[in-house]
Amino acid sequence: MLTLTLHASAADKKLLLPATLKKISAHLSKHLKLEKKSYEASLAFVSPAAVQTLNHDFRGKKKPTNVLSFPQFTPAELKKLKPTKNETVYLGDIILCKKIIVSETLKLKKPLNHHLIHLVVHGTLHLLGYDHMGNAESRRMETLEKRILAGLGISDPYIIELPKIRTKKK
């Protein structure tokens, strides 16, 4: 079973309530067949400046981003892991930038909790060795995200709804 632990201020903990994290964890565990072993990951909210520094230092990108994942293991190491029943495998850290996420939800006109859940799922998949560097990897990861999110009642996050254009009736 996967456990997601949020390290945040009381105000930020209201964005990802324990019940929501538990629901995401349970759904990811079932969907990715993680139920028989114990896995853990940490989540934290940081400022745009902090996420920009992390993005620069670890990815060579000079701009802030909405989510970063810091896996404890490479995909090859993950495949070799044979945790025992009583052992918890720490997968890594997921860093979220609340200010950027809120801004994105306003631009995309999506519910904040849906976007946050998507980014937690996205970040967790990175911790589990999934990536989107090439077209095939990207399709694989996006397909998996869509399936997981659909099971949580969240529509395809990659569909951007365009504003409706009103026309005058003649």
Side-chain angles (χ1 to χ4, degrees):
M1 177 72 168
L2 172 67
T3 301
L4 297 170
T5 305
L6 177 62
H7 303 279
S9 68
D12 286 346
K13 283 185 178 182
K14 290 178 183 175
L15 294 173
L16 280 171
L17 295 171
T20 302
L21 286 173
K22 195 171 186 176
K23 184 177 177 181
I24 297 167
S25 297
H27 195 71
L28 280 164
S29 294
K30 183 179 177 189
H31 198 83
L32 298 172
K33 298 175 180 35
L34 303 174
E35 298 139 311
K36 295 182 181 175
K37 302 292 181 188
S38 183
Y39 298 91
E40 187 177 342
S42 292
L43 296 101
F45 286 106
V46 299
S47 69
V51 81
Q52 182 170 341
T53 298
L54 291 168
N55 205 19
H56 177 265
D57 291 353
F58 291 96
R59 297 181 65 228
K61 310 257 181 177
K62 293 183 180 181
K63 62 180 188 167
T65 188
N66 53 13
V67 62
L68 288 171
S69 295
F70 294 95
Q72 186 73 18
F73 304 100
T74 67
E77 290 170 333
L78 274 172
K79 287 179 184 176
K80 292 179 185 175
L81 280 179
K82 303 285 186 220
T84 63
K85 253 187 190 178
N86 300 324
E87 183 181 14
T88 298
V89 175
Y90 186 74
L91 296 172
D93 303 312
I94 299 169
I95 305 299
L96 301 156
C97 183
K98 180 174 79 172
K99 189 170 184 174
I100 291 172
I101 294 167
V102 168
S103 174
E104 288 172 343
T105 60
L106 294 172
K107 285 179 193 168
L108 298 171
K109 296 184 173 151
K110 294 188 178 211
L112 177 59
N113 65 325
H114 287 196
H115 194 42
L116 269 170
I117 291 168
H118 171 224
L119 294 174
V120 170
V121 168
H122 184 89
T124 303
L125 289 177
H126 278 305
L127 297 181
L128 291 166
Y130 292 88
D131 214 335
H132 46 83
M133 297 306 271
N135 287 337
E137 283 181 322
S138 186
R139 278 192 301 277
R140 180 175 168 236
M141 186 169 172
E142 285 181 15
T143 299
L144 186 54
E145 282 176 314
K146 290 175 197 179
R147 279 192 212 135
I148 292 167
L149 292 169
L152 291 165
I154 297 172
S155 61
D156 183 342
Y158 295 102
I159 294 176
I160 298 172
E161 293 181 27
L162 299 173
K164 293 179 182 172
I165 300 171
R166 293 184 178 204
T167 58
K168 290 183 181 180
K169 292 183 181 180
K170 292 183 180 183

